[in-house]
Amino acid sequence: MKQLMKPSAILGVAAMMLASCNQAPKAVENKKAEPKTETKELKIAFVEVDSIMTQYEFCKEFTKVLEQKGKNIQRTISQKEQALRNAANNFQQKLQQNAYTREEAERVQAGLQKQDADLAALQQRLGNEFQAETEKYNIALRDSIQHYLAKYNKNKKYSIIFSKQGDNLLYTDNSYDITKEVIAGLNKAYKPAEKKLEKK
């Protein structure tokens, strides 16, 4: 027959168990009481890119410049294409009228082929120049917006400023829209190219 524990021994074991149980929550409480790292409040805003494109003077000015360059390129290419078409038609007519010797016809045809190759090369070069100009403008635009927002945000202290274009943000609360404020600031900071040239 097993010996039963004396009541005093049972109480001692119970007291030890209670003590260990009471210590566990304290350990958890101590962990909770550790100094918390301060969670920074997330402050967000957004800017409508479409509005910047239509209302920021820098965009309006350079959009006009690029449109004019695009039209000039198109006009130049169209004129050269028309001249080449006219020369080709003229060659065809004279060829049908037997106005050329064989050597003359070959020489004129080679000249037309060279003009065609030159036109293709010109179109490629002007297209590349226009693309480089557009890229340069896009970089300057992005830099000017980022530079302004860095200054603007020193006082505003936003954690994130999103760019909203079309439906890339599925839902926005208009109280977070800082577009008008940003455009006003950008336009105030912007010095048109003409004024820059006058100062030089």
Side-chain angles (χ1 to χ4, degrees), residues 30-83:
N30 286 344
K31 280 183 184 174
K32 285 182 183 175
E34 283 176 11
K36 291 181 181 177
T37 54
E38 260 186 53
T39 53
K40 194 178 175 187
E41 180 193 353
L42 183 65
K43 196 176 171 191
I44 61 169
F46 69 89
V47 177
E48 290 269 5
V49 174
D50 294 342
S51 297
I52 286 180
M53 298 305 285
T54 57
Q55 296 171 41
Y56 181 20
E57 290 302 323
F58 175 87
C59 290
K60 291 199 279 188
E61 185 179 312
F62 276 88
T63 298
K64 282 180 188 172
V65 168
L66 290 174
E67 279 177 1
Q68 191 56 51
K69 283 192 176 183
K71 284 177 184 174
N72 290 346
I73 289 170
Q74 193 57 51
R75 193 180 309 116
T76 300
I77 297 300
S78 294
Q79 286 170 352
K80 290 190 177 293
E81 280 177 343
Q82 188 59 51

Side-chain angles (χ1 to χ4, degrees), residues 43-49 51-52 55-57 144-145 147-158 161 174-190:
K43 196 176 171 191
I44 61 169
F46 69 89
V47 177
E48 290 269 5
V49 174
S51 297
I52 286 180
Q55 296 171 41
Y56 181 20
E57 290 302 323
S144 76
I145 292 170
H147 178 72
Y148 174 74
L149 287 177
K151 283 169 63 178
Y152 169 86
N153 204 37
K154 280 181 183 174
N155 296 329
K156 299 292 180 177
K157 309 274 190 237
Y158 287 110
I161 299 175
N174 286 336
S175 63
Y176 296 104
D177 188 353
I178 58 169
T179 308
K180 285 182 182 176
E181 207 176 331
V182 169
I183 290 171
L186 283 167
N187 283 333
K188 190 176 177 183
Y190 177 59

Side-chain angles (χ1 to χ4, degrees), residues 10-184:
I10 291 170
L11 285 173
V13 171
M16 279 173 54
M17 285 174 67
L18 277 172
S20 68
C21 286
N22 287 340
Q23 282 174 358
K26 279 182 186 171
V28 172
E29 282 170 20
N30 286 344
K31 280 183 184 174
K32 285 182 183 175
E34 283 176 11
K36 291 181 181 177
T37 54
E38 260 186 53
T39 53
K40 194 178 175 187
E41 180 193 353
L42 183 65
K43 196 176 171 191
I44 61 169
F46 69 89
V47 177
E48 290 269 5
V49 174
D50 294 342
S51 297
I52 286 180
M53 298 305 285
T54 57
Q55 296 171 41
Y56 181 20
E57 290 302 323
F58 175 87
C59 290
K60 291 199 279 188
E61 185 179 312
F62 276 88
T63 298
K64 282 180 188 172
V65 168
L66 290 174
E67 279 177 1
Q68 191 56 51
K69 283 192 176 183
K71 284 177 184 174
N72 290 346
I73 289 170
Q74 193 57 51
R75 193 180 309 116
T76 300
I77 297 300
S78 294
Q79 286 170 352
K80 290 190 177 293
E81 280 177 343
Q82 188 59 51
L84 184 58
R85 259 196 305 273
N86 292 343
N89 289 339
N90 188 39
F91 169 70
Q92 200 66 37
Q93 284 174 0
K94 285 188 175 180
L95 201 61
Q96 287 171 356
Q97 294 165 359
N98 294 321
Y100 294 120
T101 64
R102 185 175 174 180
E103 290 79 16
E104 286 173 336
E106 285 174 357
R107 192 170 62 248
V108 172
Q109 190 172 15
L112 288 172
Q113 286 172 344
K114 186 183 181 310
Q115 283 180 49
D116 188 44
D118 289 348
L119 178 59
L122 176 68
Q123 195 166 6
Q124 180 71 39
R125 182 174 61 80
L126 293 177
N128 290 343
E129 284 174 9
F130 185 76
Q131 195 173 346
E133 190 74 21
T134 304
E135 183 61 26
K136 188 177 158 188
Y137 154 73
N138 286 331
I139 290 168
L141 171 63
R142 188 174 62 243
D143 287 351
S144 76
I145 292 170
Q146 287 178 342
H147 178 72
Y148 174 74
L149 287 177
K151 283 169 63 178
Y152 169 86
N153 204 37
K154 280 181 183 174
N155 296 329
K156 299 292 180 177
K157 309 274 190 237
Y158 287 110
S159 308
I160 302 170
I161 299 175
F162 291 102
S163 65
K164 181 178 186 290
Q165 189 167 24
D167 295 329
N168 67 335
L169 296 181
L170 297 177
Y171 171 79
T172 52
D173 182 334
N174 286 336
S175 63
Y176 296 104
D177 188 353
I178 58 169
T179 308
K180 285 182 182 176
E181 207 176 331
V182 169
I183 290 171

